[in-house]
Amino acid sequence: MSDHDEAKHGLRDRVVGTWRHAVDSAKDSVGDLINSVDADLLFDTGDDIVDTKAPKVDIAQRWDERKFSARLVNPANRRKLSVIIVGTGLAGASAAATLGEAGYHVTSFCYQDSPRRAHSIAAQGGINAAKNYRNDGDSTYRLFYDTVKGGDFRSRESNVYRLAQVSTNIIDQCVAQGVPFAREYGGLLDNRSFGGVQVSRTFYARGQTGQQLLLGAYQALERQIAAGTVTMHTRHEMLELVVVDGKARGIVVRNMVTGEIETHTADAVVLASGGYSNVFYLSTNAMGCNVTATWRAHRKGAHFANPCYTQIHPTCIPVSGDYQSKLTLMSESLRNDGRIWVPLSGEDKRDPREIGEAERDYYLERIYPAFGNLVPRDIASRAAKNVCDQGRGVGPGGLGVYLDFADAIERLGRKSVEAKYGNLFDMYAQITGENPYETPMRIYPAVHYTMGGLWVDYDLQSSIPGLFVTGEANFSDHGANRLGASALMQGLADGYFVLPNTINDYLAAGPFAKVDPADPAVAEAVDLVTSRIDKLLSIKGSRTVDSFHKELGHIMWDYCGMERSEEGLRKAISRIRELKTEFWSDVRVLGTGEGLNQALERAGRVADFIELGELMCIDALHRRESCGGHFRAESQTEDGEALRHDDEYAYVAAWEFAGEDRRPVLHKEPLVYEYVELKQRSYK
Ligand SMILES: Cc1cc2nc3c(=O)[nH]c(=O)nc-3n(C[C@H](O)[C@H](O)[C@H](O)COP(=O)(O)OP(=O)(O)OC[C@H]3O[C@@H](n4cnc5c(N)ncnc54)[C@H](O)[C@@H]3O)c2cc1C
């Protein structure tokens, strides 16, 4: 083993921690068992599903046609209809504000102490829109094309086209709200580029785009709260969905301050509860992000689509030790001006500033000359992993590559670089103690976003009538890989423009009978919540919730992370099943249910993550192709690129929960491409 390998494994051992040695031997026997099980025996296959809501007209007319064909609710009747919205990030706050403004009775929930603390506030780099302000050849079709190609041809054409159409409205809406987008000297809105595209269509507010957009949506929401159309419940966590006569009619929440269990009912429910990257324990997401809202809905009948599609972001600050509970993103916008490289030789351990141009490998520029440092995230992440696997990684353990601004500073001047990226540079300096104006940043891929989520049709309605899903919580428009700056676009498209034009079609069937608080469906949902809390508090085992979460995260990263294989995924499934049994017999949750209890909150979330983790691995195992962020070691081209198998896997995998201890049921929604030619992606 070379010095480099030793150092790398040394760090890895520290990072992975000692827990693994203890659990490995116990789990090998189960691993053997699973290895002998065919992947297809882990699930059943149900009927194919189709999205019937997208009109069968030319793609450019579909959204207009749907808006016209959707039934309307007149303003007087809107006042008689109610909607619950879980989530106050960009997707939830924009929807609540818009539906409130339209006159519906909206009840809004979040688990933070203020709606504006939603994870969306952390978004840094920007939001896409096909405005073509740069006159560089952008168009609705190009944004549509880039997004379908970027998602490795695994997204629905109708939805993506609509997203591209609506993108331009979002910018106008936000400017009208006063969102301070960056401007050029002449006063026009500025743009920059993000990965996977060759035009500049990303609107931004320094490195704080999410914060500024969320403040805009939050103000619109607060206006409706003051007007009385929206009732806000902060510090309330949804723990169960109420389904009456097959329709979503309410939620059960826990007041996180008093511990009280409350039931809220309405005519429709919207989940805008964000993504589930924290199943990996370490991710760039806010610590509180979790899957509980969507997972509970899944268990009540909502299909979960493409759970294995996870995005690993190439530019994060590398892991530095096993005490860490969070990873920090360095925005993709930095790849506009920063150049990524490693030393040509793995033996070269000099200060990067002493390494000459000829001794550097700007590997993205070399391998992908057409897109260079702005290849999509899945490709940039894998390329970083490859050079580190070759022993050419930098920093402790060799798990890092350089992101270098020396050229940009020389070309543009330090002031200009500071104006564009100053807050990101400060963040990097505070976390690492290194000055990125003087020495290159060190970055490494980390889990960042989840393209999977609850299955929705063109109207954003899930497989449970009356349950709508928006933003990162739905399986959305990004296929197997999301392009940078497209999540904010999708969240706001859903909340400001799409949902308000589709949910009325469902609500027009009202007025609906009030839900009787004594309805057995309500009692059952409340009972599920209270008995689960009681069970968690009664186990009084020996392991902390965090130790289970951390272990799950390691399993997911090792076997369902940047590279997945048949053998690894089988192993992961067996280990996760073991972990679930251990969790429910040995977790230690201190305190009581009456009042603030963060260990209890986390325990419920981790229990759901464990179940989700298993489904993610089953999904990844059954998809024996590589596509986007889902890289199967067995399915690659000669030069190591993802190799799709369109003849077998050009479908959305929508999973149905069949019951406790029953195999999940796979429903396929075939993906039909009429406006984009299916081909092997190339960024060369
Ligand atoms: C560091 C970072 C930077 C990013 N930068 C960009 C960028 O520049 N451009 C871009 O396009 N995307 C970016 N993204 C992605 C983007 O920020 C997210 O995808 C997006 O903000 C998600 O918005 P959302 O409204 O769907 O969910 P969130 O903002 O996550 O909001 C979820 C809401 O649901 C609530 N909630 C969740 N579960 C429950 C429950 N059980 N009960 C009650 N309430 C609940 C929460 O309280 C919260 O209000 C970035 C992501 C990260 C991590």
Side-chain angles (χ1 to χ4, degrees), residues 249-276:
R249 292 302 307 269
I251 58 174
V252 179
V253 295
R254 179 171 179 272
N255 179 324
M256 296 158 79
V257 179
T258 65
E260 201 178 328
I261 304 299
E262 304 166 7
T263 305
H264 296 261
T265 56
D267 298 318
V269 176
V270 179
L271 297 184
S273 51
Y276 51 85

PDB file of all heavy atoms in Angstrom, residues 249-276:
ATOM      1  N   ARG A 249     -57.467  14.049   3.752  1.00  0.00           N
ATOM      2  CA  ARG A 249     -58.350  15.024   4.382  1.00  0.00           C
ATOM      3  C   ARG A 249     -57.737  15.692   5.609  1.00  0.00           C
ATOM      4  O   ARG A 249     -58.412  16.458   6.296  1.00  0.00           O
ATOM      5  CB  ARG A 249     -59.676  14.352   4.786  1.00  0.00           C
ATOM      6  CG  ARG A 249     -60.556  13.900   3.644  1.00  0.00           C
ATOM      7  CD  ARG A 249     -60.937  15.036   2.705  1.00  0.00           C
ATOM      8  NE  ARG A 249     -61.523  16.189   3.370  1.00  0.00           N
ATOM      9  CZ  ARG A 249     -62.821  16.368   3.577  1.00  0.00           C
ATOM     10  NH1 ARG A 249     -63.668  15.457   3.154  1.00  0.00           N
ATOM     11  NH2 ARG A 249     -63.280  17.453   4.188  1.00  0.00           N
ATOM     12  N   GLY A 250     -56.485  15.387   5.920  1.00  0.00           N
ATOM     13  CA  GLY A 250     -55.934  16.064   7.086  1.00  0.00           C
ATOM     14  C   GLY A 250     -54.602  15.487   7.506  1.00  0.00           C
ATOM     15  O   GLY A 250     -54.048  14.598   6.845  1.00  0.00           O
ATOM     16  N   ILE A 251     -54.092  16.029   8.590  1.00  0.00           N
ATOM     17  CA  ILE A 251     -52.809  15.542   9.113  1.00  0.00           C
ATOM     18  C   ILE A 251     -52.878  15.477  10.638  1.00  0.00           C
ATOM     19  O   ILE A 251     -53.679  16.173  11.268  1.00  0.00           O
ATOM     20  CB  ILE A 251     -51.628  16.452   8.690  1.00  0.00           C
ATOM     21  CG1 ILE A 251     -51.826  17.900   9.165  1.00  0.00           C
ATOM     22  CG2 ILE A 251     -51.414  16.415   7.202  1.00  0.00           C
ATOM     23  CD1 ILE A 251     -50.630  18.815   8.903  1.00  0.00           C
ATOM     24  N   VAL A 252     -52.024  14.648  11.197  1.00  0.00           N
ATOM     25  CA  VAL A 252     -51.847  14.627  12.650  1.00  0.00           C
ATOM     26  C   VAL A 252     -50.470  15.220  12.918  1.00  0.00           C
ATOM     27  O   VAL A 252     -49.481  14.832  12.282  1.00  0.00           O
ATOM     28  CB  VAL A 252     -51.931  13.193  13.212  1.00  0.00           C
ATOM     29  CG1 VAL A 252     -51.712  13.197  14.724  1.00  0.00           C
ATOM     30  CG2 VAL A 252     -53.271  12.571  12.873  1.00  0.00           C
ATOM     31  N   VAL A 253     -50.419  16.206  13.814  1.00  0.00           N
ATOM     32  CA  VAL A 253     -49.146  16.870  14.095  1.00  0.00           C
ATOM     33  C   VAL A 253     -48.847  16.801  15.590  1.00  0.00           C
ATOM     34  O   VAL A 253     -49.745  16.612  16.411  1.00  0.00           O
ATOM     35  CB  VAL A 253     -49.174  18.367  13.684  1.00  0.00           C
ATOM     36  CG1 VAL A 253     -49.335  18.519  12.193  1.00  0.00           C
ATOM     37  CG2 VAL A 253     -50.268  19.127  14.424  1.00  0.00           C
ATOM     38  N   ARG A 254     -47.569  16.957  15.899  1.00  0.00           N
ATOM     39  CA  ARG A 254     -47.179  17.070  17.306  1.00  0.00           C
ATOM     40  C   ARG A 254     -46.711  18.498  17.523  1.00  0.00           C
ATOM     41  O   ARG A 254     -45.863  19.000  16.774  1.00  0.00           O
ATOM     42  CB  ARG A 254     -46.050  16.083  17.603  1.00  0.00           C
ATOM     43  CG  ARG A 254     -45.557  16.149  19.036  1.00  0.00           C
ATOM     44  CD  ARG A 254     -44.596  15.000  19.369  1.00  0.00           C
ATOM     45  NE  ARG A 254     -44.146  15.126  20.746  1.00  0.00           N
ATOM     46  CZ  ARG A 254     -43.085  15.831  21.134  1.00  0.00           C
ATOM     47  NH1 ARG A 254     -42.345  16.466  20.240  1.00  0.00           N
ATOM     48  NH2 ARG A 254     -42.749  15.911  22.411  1.00  0.00           N
ATOM     49  N   ASN A 255     -47.290  19.148  18.518  1.00  0.00           N
ATOM     50  CA  ASN A 255     -46.798  20.460  18.915  1.00  0.00           C
ATOM     51  C   ASN A 255     -45.452  20.213  19.592  1.00  0.00           C
ATOM     52  O   ASN A 255     -45.382  19.573  20.645  1.00  0.00           O
ATOM     53  CB  ASN A 255     -47.800  21.115  19.875  1.00  0.00           C
ATOM     54  CG  ASN A 255     -47.326  22.481  20.339  1.00  0.00           C
ATOM     55  OD1 ASN A 255     -46.132  22.703  20.539  1.00  0.00           O
ATOM     56  ND2 ASN A 255     -48.253  23.401  20.523  1.00  0.00           N
ATOM     57  N   MET A 256     -44.385  20.689  18.964  1.00  0.00           N
ATOM     58  CA  MET A 256     -43.043  20.322  19.430  1.00  0.00           C
ATOM     59  C   MET A 256     -42.665  21.023  20.734  1.00  0.00           C
ATOM     60  O   MET A 256     -41.674  20.658  21.368  1.00  0.00           O
ATOM     61  CB  MET A 256     -42.022  20.652  18.333  1.00  0.00           C
ATOM     62  CG  MET A 256     -42.251  19.810  17.089  1.00  0.00           C
ATOM     63  SD  MET A 256     -41.538  20.559  15.633  1.00  0.00           S
ATOM     64  CE  MET A 256     -39.827  20.137  15.843  1.00  0.00           C
ATOM     65  N   VAL A 257     -43.448  22.011  21.124  1.00  0.00           N
ATOM     66  CA  VAL A 257     -43.148  22.719  22.374  1.00  0.00           C
ATOM     67  C   VAL A 257     -43.913  22.105  23.545  1.00  0.00           C
ATOM     68  O   VAL A 257     -43.347  21.858  24.611  1.00  0.00           O
ATOM     69  CB  VAL A 257     -43.479  24.226  22.231  1.00  0.00           C
ATOM     70  CG1 VAL A 257     -43.182  24.965  23.533  1.00  0.00           C
ATOM     71  CG2 VAL A 257     -42.693  24.828  21.080  1.00  0.00           C
ATOM     72  N   THR A 258     -45.200  21.788  23.312  1.00  0.00           N
ATOM     73  CA  THR A 258     -46.005  21.242  24.421  1.00  0.00           C
ATOM     74  C   THR A 258     -46.127  19.723  24.366  1.00  0.00           C
ATOM     75  O   THR A 258     -46.533  19.092  25.338  1.00  0.00           O
ATOM     76  CB  THR A 258     -47.437  21.814  24.361  1.00  0.00           C
ATOM     77  OG1 THR A 258     -48.050  21.345  23.152  1.00  0.00           O
ATOM     78  CG2 THR A 258     -47.437  23.333  24.390  1.00  0.00           C
ATOM     79  N   GLY A 259     -45.823  19.152  23.216  1.00  0.00           N
ATOM     80  CA  GLY A 259     -45.953  17.705  23.061  1.00  0.00           C
ATOM     81  C   GLY A 259     -47.372  17.268  22.718  1.00  0.00           C
ATOM     82  O   GLY A 259     -47.636  16.085  22.503  1.00  0.00           O
ATOM     83  N   GLU A 260     -48.285  18.219  22.635  1.00  0.00           N
ATOM     84  CA  GLU A 260     -49.677  17.883  22.355  1.00  0.00           C
ATOM     85  C   GLU A 260     -49.833  17.307  20.938  1.00  0.00           C
ATOM     86  O   GLU A 260     -49.184  17.778  19.992  1.00  0.00           O
ATOM     87  CB  GLU A 260     -50.497  19.171  22.460  1.00  0.00           C
ATOM     88  CG  GLU A 260     -51.972  18.936  22.706  1.00  0.00           C
ATOM     89  CD  GLU A 260     -52.697  20.288  22.855  1.00  0.00           C
ATOM     90  OE1 GLU A 260     -52.065  21.251  23.367  1.00  0.00           O
ATOM     91  OE2 GLU A 260     -53.838  20.358  22.417  1.00  0.00           O
ATOM     92  N   ILE A 261     -50.701  16.293  20.819  1.00  0.00           N
ATOM     93  CA  ILE A 261     -50.984  15.717  19.499  1.00  0.00           C
ATOM     94  C   ILE A 261     -52.287  16.341  18.996  1.00  0.00           C
ATOM     95  O   ILE A 261     -53.314  16.309  19.689  1.00  0.00           O
ATOM     96  CB  ILE A 261     -51.145  14.177  19.588  1.00  0.00           C
ATOM     97  CG1 ILE A 261     -49.890  13.529  20.217  1.00  0.00           C
ATOM     98  CG2 ILE A 261     -51.430  13.578  18.212  1.00  0.00           C
ATOM     99  CD1 ILE A 261     -48.611  13.746  19.453  1.00  0.00           C
ATOM    100  N   GLU A 262     -52.233  16.937  17.793  1.00  0.00           N
ATOM    101  CA  GLU A 262     -53.410  17.644  17.270  1.00  0.00           C
ATOM    102  C   GLU A 262     -53.786  17.071  15.901  1.00  0.00           C
ATOM    103  O   GLU A 262     -52.920  16.614  15.163  1.00  0.00           O
ATOM    104  CB  GLU A 262     -53.081  19.134  17.061  1.00  0.00           C
ATOM    105  CG  GLU A 262     -52.565  19.855  18.288  1.00  0.00           C
ATOM    106  CD  GLU A 262     -51.940  21.225  17.919  1.00  0.00           C
ATOM    107  OE1 GLU A 262     -52.029  21.641  16.742  1.00  0.00           O
ATOM    108  OE2 GLU A 262     -51.362  21.842  18.820  1.00  0.00           O
ATOM    109  N   THR A 263     -55.078  17.141  15.605  1.00  0.00           N
ATOM    110  CA  THR A 263     -55.528  16.745  14.268  1.00  0.00           C
ATOM    111  C   THR A 263     -56.040  17.981  13.539  1.00  0.00           C
ATOM    112  O   THR A 263     -56.773  18.781  14.123  1.00  0.00           O
ATOM    113  CB  THR A 263     -56.680  15.724  14.364  1.00  0.00           C
ATOM    114  OG1 THR A 263     -56.237  14.637  15.162  1.00  0.00           O
ATOM    115  CG2 THR A 263     -57.055  15.206  12.993  1.00  0.00           C
ATOM    116  N   HIS A 264     -55.632  18.156  12.313  1.00  0.00           N
ATOM    117  CA  HIS A 264     -56.118  19.269  11.490  1.00  0.00           C
ATOM    118  C   HIS A 264     -56.712  18.670  10.219  1.00  0.00           C
ATOM    119  O   HIS A 264     -56.076  17.814   9.590  1.00  0.00           O
ATOM    120  CB  HIS A 264     -54.983  20.224  11.135  1.00  0.00           C
ATOM    121  CG  HIS A 264     -54.397  20.913  12.335  1.00  0.00           C
ATOM    122  ND1 HIS A 264     -54.738  22.188  12.708  1.00  0.00           N
ATOM    123  CD2 HIS A 264     -53.510  20.472  13.274  1.00  0.00           C
ATOM    124  CE1 HIS A 264     -54.078  22.529  13.805  1.00  0.00           C
ATOM    125  NE2 HIS A 264     -53.321  21.501  14.171  1.00  0.00           N
ATOM    126  N   THR A 265     -57.891  19.114   9.860  1.00  0.00           N
ATOM    127  CA  THR A 265     -58.519  18.577   8.649  1.00  0.00           C
ATOM    128  C   THR A 265     -58.767  19.694   7.634  1.00  0.00           C
ATOM    129  O   THR A 265     -58.819  20.870   7.989  1.00  0.00           O
ATOM    130  CB  THR A 265     -59.859  17.880   8.985  1.00  0.00           C
ATOM    131  OG1 THR A 265     -60.702  18.811   9.657  1.00  0.00           O
ATOM    132  CG2 THR A 265     -59.640  16.663   9.868  1.00  0.00           C
ATOM    133  N   ALA A 266     -58.898  19.299   6.389  1.00  0.00           N
ATOM    134  CA  ALA A 266     -59.123  20.269   5.312  1.00  0.00           C
ATOM    135  C   ALA A 266     -59.667  19.515   4.102  1.00  0.00           C
ATOM    136  O   ALA A 266     -59.830  18.289   4.142  1.00  0.00           O
ATOM    137  CB  ALA A 266     -57.810  20.967   4.956  1.00  0.00           C
ATOM    138  N   ASP A 267     -59.908  20.246   3.018  1.00  0.00           N
ATOM    139  CA  ASP A 267     -60.443  19.615   1.810  1.00  0.00           C
ATOM    140  C   ASP A 267     -59.337  19.026   0.931  1.00  0.00           C
ATOM    141  O   ASP A 267     -59.596  18.158   0.105  1.00  0.00           O
ATOM    142  CB  ASP A 267     -61.256  20.646   1.022  1.00  0.00           C
ATOM    143  CG  ASP A 267     -62.434  21.141   1.854  1.00  0.00           C
ATOM    144  OD1 ASP A 267     -63.072  20.304   2.518  1.00  0.00           O
ATOM    145  OD2 ASP A 267     -62.678  22.364   1.891  1.00  0.00           O
ATOM    146  N   ALA A 268     -58.135  19.539   1.103  1.00  0.00           N
ATOM    147  CA  ALA A 268     -56.994  18.974   0.364  1.00  0.00           C
ATOM    148  C   ALA A 268     -55.731  19.213   1.192  1.00  0.00           C
ATOM    149  O   ALA A 268     -55.700  20.102   2.051  1.00  0.00           O
ATOM    150  CB  ALA A 268     -56.854  19.633  -1.003  1.00  0.00           C
ATOM    151  N   VAL A 269     -54.722  18.398   0.930  1.00  0.00           N
ATOM    152  CA  VAL A 269     -53.455  18.523   1.665  1.00  0.00           C
ATOM    153  C   VAL A 269     -52.323  18.666   0.646  1.00  0.00           C
ATOM    154  O   VAL A 269     -52.288  17.954  -0.364  1.00  0.00           O
ATOM    155  CB  VAL A 269     -53.203  17.274   2.547  1.00  0.00           C
ATOM    156  CG1 VAL A 269     -51.849  17.355   3.244  1.00  0.00           C
ATOM    157  CG2 VAL A 269     -54.314  17.093   3.578  1.00  0.00           C
ATOM    158  N   VAL A 270     -51.410  19.598   0.920  1.00  0.00           N
ATOM    159  CA  VAL A 270     -50.234  19.779   0.060  1.00  0.00           C
ATOM    160  C   VAL A 270     -48.991  19.491   0.902  1.00  0.00           C
ATOM    161  O   VAL A 270     -48.829  20.064   1.980  1.00  0.00           O
ATOM    162  CB  VAL A 270     -50.148  21.228  -0.470  1.00  0.00           C
ATOM    163  CG1 VAL A 270     -48.896  21.412  -1.339  1.00  0.00           C
ATOM    164  CG2 VAL A 270     -51.398  21.602  -1.249  1.00  0.00           C
ATOM    165  N   LEU A 271     -48.140  18.628   0.399  1.00  0.00           N
ATOM    166  CA  LEU A 271     -46.861  18.408   1.083  1.00  0.00           C
ATOM    167  C   LEU A 271     -45.767  19.148   0.311  1.00  0.00           C
ATOM    168  O   LEU A 271     -45.554  18.906  -0.875  1.00  0.00           O
ATOM    169  CB  LEU A 271     -46.522  16.914   1.150  1.00  0.00           C
ATOM    170  CG  LEU A 271     -47.482  16.032   1.945  1.00  0.00           C
ATOM    171  CD1 LEU A 271     -46.964  14.591   2.017  1.00  0.00           C
ATOM    172  CD2 LEU A 271     -47.698  16.573   3.354  1.00  0.00           C
ATOM    173  N   ALA A 272     -45.103  20.059   1.016  1.00  0.00           N
ATOM    174  CA  ALA A 272     -43.973  20.795   0.426  1.00  0.00           C
ATOM    175  C   ALA A 272     -42.837  20.681   1.437  1.00  0.00           C
ATOM    176  O   ALA A 272     -42.274  21.677   1.879  1.00  0.00           O
ATOM    177  CB  ALA A 272     -44.361  22.249   0.188  1.00  0.00           C
ATOM    178  N   SER A 273     -42.562  19.438   1.790  1.00  0.00           N
ATOM    179  CA  SER A 273     -41.733  19.185   2.974  1.00  0.00           C
ATOM    180  C   SER A 273     -40.262  18.927   2.665  1.00  0.00           C
ATOM    181  O   SER A 273     -39.508  18.529   3.551  1.00  0.00           O
ATOM    182  CB  SER A 273     -42.331  18.014   3.759  1.00  0.00           C
ATOM    183  OG  SER A 273     -42.559  16.931   2.889  1.00  0.00           O
ATOM    184  N   GLY A 274     -39.835  19.162   1.424  1.00  0.00           N
ATOM    185  CA  GLY A 274     -38.404  19.111   1.113  1.00  0.00           C
ATOM    186  C   GLY A 274     -37.880  17.713   0.846  1.00  0.00           C
ATOM    187  O   GLY A 274     -38.636  16.750   0.714  1.00  0.00           O
ATOM    188  N   GLY A 275     -36.553  17.610   0.741  1.00  0.00           N
ATOM    189  CA  GLY A 275     -35.902  16.363   0.315  1.00  0.00           C
ATOM    190  C   GLY A 275     -35.382  15.527   1.472  1.00  0.00           C
ATOM    191  O   GLY A 275     -35.486  15.910   2.637  1.00  0.00           O
ATOM    192  N   TYR A 276     -34.789  14.372   1.118  1.00  0.00           N
ATOM    193  CA  TYR A 276     -34.417  13.402   2.146  1.00  0.00           C
ATOM    194  C   TYR A 276     -32.924  13.057   2.147  1.00  0.00           C
ATOM    195  O   TYR A 276     -32.531  11.964   2.538  1.00  0.00           O
ATOM    196  CB  TYR A 276     -35.273  12.138   2.006  1.00  0.00           C
ATOM    197  CG  TYR A 276     -35.305  11.538   0.603  1.00  0.00           C
ATOM    198  CD1 TYR A 276     -34.321  10.656   0.164  1.00  0.00           C
ATOM    199  CD2 TYR A 276     -36.324  11.859  -0.272  1.00  0.00           C
ATOM    200  CE1 TYR A 276     -34.351  10.112  -1.102  1.00  0.00           C
ATOM    201  CE2 TYR A 276     -36.366  11.320  -1.561  1.00  0.00           C
ATOM    202  CZ  TYR A 276     -35.378  10.443  -1.967  1.00  0.00           C
ATOM    203  OH  TYR A 276     -35.409   9.901  -3.230  1.00  0.00           O
TER     204      TYR A 276
END
